[in-house]
Every structure is written in C-alpha cells, then in structure tokens.
Amino acid sequence: MSTLTHLECPECGRTYDADQPQTYCPHCESPLLARYDLAAAARTLTPEAVAGRSRGLWRWHEILPMRAAAFRFTLGEGDTPLLPAPRLAAELGLSHLWVKDESQNPTGTFKARGLVMAVSRAMELGLREFVIPTAGNAGGALAAYAARARAKAHVFMPADAPEVNKVEVQAAGAELVLVNGLISDAGRLAAEQAKNHGWWRVSTFKEPYRLEGKKTMGLEIAEAFDWELPDVIIYPTGGGTGLVGMWKAFDELEALGWIGPKRPRLVSVQSDGCAPVVRAFQKGAKRARTWKKAHTIAAGLRVPSVFADRLILRALRETRGTAVAVPDEAILAAQQRLAAAEGIWAAPEGAATLAALEQLVQGGWVQPHERVVLFNTGSGLKYVR
Ligand SMILES: *Cc1c(COP(=O)(O)O)cnc(C)c1O
Ligand SMILES: [Zn+2]
C-alpha cells in the first residue's frame, strides 16, 4: 500500500491534497513533491522485502503514489540492468564504470518510468484524457500507456522530431499534432488545447507523479550498489525529472535509514546547442534563463526553458556535482565509442554522458579510483533515419 500523505511545494512549503488532481504551486510556479509517511512505509518496506518481490518499479509501492493495485498498469518498465563497462573504463584510465541501461524499458527509453506513474495515478483520480508536449520520447511513452489504460492521448511534437516517435504515437492510437517549432512551442499549444477541452496535462513537472516514476532509478542504483552509493552519476538533462527524481530517492532512502548522508556527485550533461542548466550552474545562478535558438541532435536535450530549474540546480550544488556542455560532434563520436567498446547502442542523450565523462576525466574532476555510473536514457534505434 502507498503511504502517500500530501504534496508539498519545495519553495514555500505550502501543502496540497494528494487525493485531488494537482498541477504545480501557483504561488511559486514550482513543481510539487509527493511526501510519504516513511515510518509507516518502513513497516513493510525493507531491503529484503523489495529484493523478494517480482521485478519492476511497482515493487517499491509503499513509496509510490498509487493506492489501488487495480490501477497499477505495466508494460514491464523498470529494473533495467546496470552493465559494467570494463573496456571503456580501461580506455579512460578508470577502475569502476557502469552504464545503467534505460534503453531496455518499454518504448525504448526511461520516459516509460515517468509516464506509467503519471497515467496510472491520473486514472486512479478519475482522469481519462491526456495531453503532452514532447521532444519525442515522452509522447511515445504516453501513447503506449494510454493505450494500455484504455484512455485517450493527444501528443504535441516538433515536426522535426525523430520519425520513430511519430510512428509509435500513431500506432498506439493517440492523436499526433506536429508543431513548427520547439518543445516550448508545443507546450504553449498543448496548454491552450488542454484548457479548451479539459484534457489532463502530463507535461514535465506540471503534475507531480512523473517524478515519482523516475525516482525509481535512484532506488535501483542504491540497491544495486548494496546501499553504498557510487561516487559520481552522470545524467543527460532536458527537463530534469531523472536528476531530481534520483536526488529525491536518495533523501527518502536516508530517511528510511537505508543509506547514510553521503551522496553521489550528480552531473548534468547538456548539448552546447542548448545548455540553459549548464550556463546557470556556471554563473552560480538560482534560475536558468531560456536558451535562444536551441539546436542539438539529442532531441531529448532540446529543452530551452526548464520549469524545475531551481530543483535541478539545488540537486547539483547540494551533492557537489557539476554541469557540462558537450558539442554534438562529441556526442556522435561517443555513441560510436560506446557501441564499439561495450555493445551498447545508446541514444545521443545517453552517449552525451560518455562525452562528458571524457571531459571530466581529462580535467581531473573524476579520479581514476572513483565509481562512476553513466545513464543511457534511451536506445539509439529510436533515432535511426
Ligand atoms: C527526455 C529525455 C532525456 C531528458 O530527460 P529529463 O529527465 O527530462 O531531463 C534524456 N534522454 C532521453 C533519451 C530522453 O528521451
Ligand atoms: Zn509554493
């Protein structure tokens, strides 16, 4: 059973009823965070108990928002492998390197984790028609889970998004609206239509539960490392749900008493053609300004305005992490290198983490003995033209 108690604004501390549909804090324009009764959760949630449950993200149900098992939809998401990358490690002069391979999720990316949670919880709260602006992969995942839940979905996507994303959305029976512009333009159109038709918006951080799905990546990493977290986690950042989700997961695990206060240094990677988080981090700013003329082959990183900028920047600073911009040429080279060295054909976003690691090793920010995890967030197959 879920021990969800309420939703909380991390900026002003206001609380919101979690059993009503909620969006974000209107006073602060901030995402809301789901809060749990962790003492109650600890009565049934133990490392032994989660290890013994059947695979997938629902085995963490005490600290997930779903109350009724009947609405826990699934296509087999979660529990992706943590693959050792010994050849790549040796090439880079490192001793301990892994790739958390999210490409093995349904629809080929980690977006499945967030959308299974947002759709399941919205269905539980009585919502039946969804809308999403997307760079591509979130739309594919929403379409799949909406089909699974027998709900309707409307997907607003830039016209130049990867072809596979358009095919998968239509195959699952969702409405596909192609937009001339970026995800931010798709976002404006989607918001307008949502208002007109009463559709439920599952845009990044505009509802509280995609984050809870992404949080399970942090839970799985902690479990895989036997509750001794790695030193560095490198993560490709668009809207930032994955990064903030892992940060939240580690705090909850510490409150449960399963890990100590030590955190991995979290690293945000963006393309130098769209790097609002990197720019804000380097300036020491609290907010990330909108990036003009955003362009990159890594579609999931082409997010010029970042709604959760305050949380992302906090997560990077509190963990003594950093933010790195890499050029598209380095991303493409890293994609080839990862496939040739380890057999992992990564999405450009995932490959960007290797390009960033190359920079961080060269600059001495990552030391040879440190335990490093790269996140491959999606399959390279989704980008083949
Ligand atoms: C959406 C996406 C990202 C960015 O993820 P956020 O959690 O929104 O920062 C990275 N990689 C892939 C493949 C994506 O689809
Ligand atoms: Zn607030």
Side-chain angles (χ1 to χ4, degrees), residues 20-341:
Q20 295 296 322
Q22 302 287 359
T23 54
Y24 50 88
C25 179
H27 306 281
C28 311
E29 296 259 307
S30 164
L32 295 177
L33 302 180
R35 297 301 185 201
Y36 300 85
D37 180 348
L38 294 174
R43 276 179 226 134
T44 52
L45 187 72
T46 62
E48 298 71 40
V50 276
R53 294 175 184 171
S54 53
R55 301 284 91 187
L57 50 68
W58 293 117
R59 67 195 175 95
W60 304 92
H61 58 82
E62 287 93 340
I63 49 173
L64 293 175
M66 295 298 298
R67 303 211 187 272
F71 286 104
R72 281 183 209 154
F73 297 101
T74 184
L75 290 166
E77 56 293 320
D79 279 323
T80 56
L82 182 69
L83 303 170
R87 278 164 300 275
L88 210 50
E91 284 176 25
L92 291 163
L94 299 176
S95 319
H96 312 287
L97 179 64
W98 291 266
V99 177
K100 177 74 168 161
D101 192 10
E102 291 293 304
S103 72
Q104 300 192 33
N105 275 302
T107 71
T109 78
F110 76 141
K111 289 292 194 303
R113 291 183 192 261
L115 271 309
V116 71
M117 200 59 61
V119 168
S120 296
R121 182 67 177 146
M123 293 292 288
E124 185 171 51
L125 295 176
L127 302 157
R128 294 290 180 271
E129 194 158 1
F130 305 110
V131 60
I132 198 167
T134 175
N137 290 325
L142 172 64
Y145 287 102
R148 193 79 176 157
R150 322 257 2 110
K152 280 201 173 133
H154 307 270
V155 176
F156 288 69
M157 192 185 290
D160 62 352
E163 280 311 305
V164 174
N165 291 135
K166 301 172 195 169
V167 173
E168 67 182 342
V169 165
Q170 288 177 310
E175 183 198 11
L176 175 65
V177 182
L178 294 177
V179 177
N180 284 315
L182 300 177
I183 187 172
S184 37
D185 304 297
R188 269 186 291 279
L189 272 176
E192 223 174 87
Q193 297 288 314
K195 218 175 186 172
N196 293 344
H197 301 283
W199 300 337
W200 183 243
R201 284 168 76 190
V202 287
S203 325
T204 307
F205 281 114
K206 302 283 170 72
E207 61 75 51
Y209 300 118
R210 277 175 68 181
L211 180 65
E212 293 306 288
K214 295 274 183 89
K215 176 178 92 177
T216 57
M217 296 189 295
L219 302 175
E220 289 173 23
I221 290 277
E223 183 187 41
F225 280 91
D226 207 14
W227 319 110
E228 296 281 339
L229 297 177
D231 299 299
V232 176
I233 294 180
I234 308 187
Y235 198 87
T237 305
T241 42
L243 196 91
V244 175
M246 283 194 278
W247 176 67
K248 183 173 188 285
F250 298 148
D251 281 356
E252 288 172 3
L253 289 175
E254 187 182 355
L256 283 167
W258 298 14
I259 63 170
K262 192 172 168 281
R263 294 290 182 274
R265 307 197 310 278
L266 296 177
V267 180
S268 250
V269 186
Q270 301 195 298
S271 161
D272 68 3
C274 180
V277 169
V278 179
R279 183 174 62 188
F281 181 84
Q282 287 172 350
K283 279 189 182 156
K286 242 192 111 183
R287 307 280 330 225
R289 285 189 298 110
T290 299
W291 190 274
K292 294 203 183 77
K293 299 211 178 86
H295 64 89
T296 167
I297 49 155
L301 305 186
R302 204 170 54 158
V303 181
S305 349
V306 188
F307 188 66
D309 52 350
R310 285 168 287 195
L311 287 175
I312 297 170
L313 291 163
R314 243 177 89 186
L316 297 179
R317 292 189 178 120
E318 281 185 10
T319 63
R320 295 179 303 111
T322 190
V324 179
V326 292
D328 277 5
E329 305 78 66
I331 293 177
L332 289 170
Q335 196 180 28
Q336 299 295 329
R337 189 178 187 186
L338 190 54

Side-chain angles (χ1 to χ4, degrees), residues 358-376:
E358 290 164 356
Q359 265 193 39
L360 293 170
V361 168
Q362 249 167 33
W365 195 89
V366 169
Q367 298 291 311
H369 64 274
E370 292 191 300
R371 296 171 306 153
V372 180
V373 175
L374 303 179
F375 257 88
N376 176 32

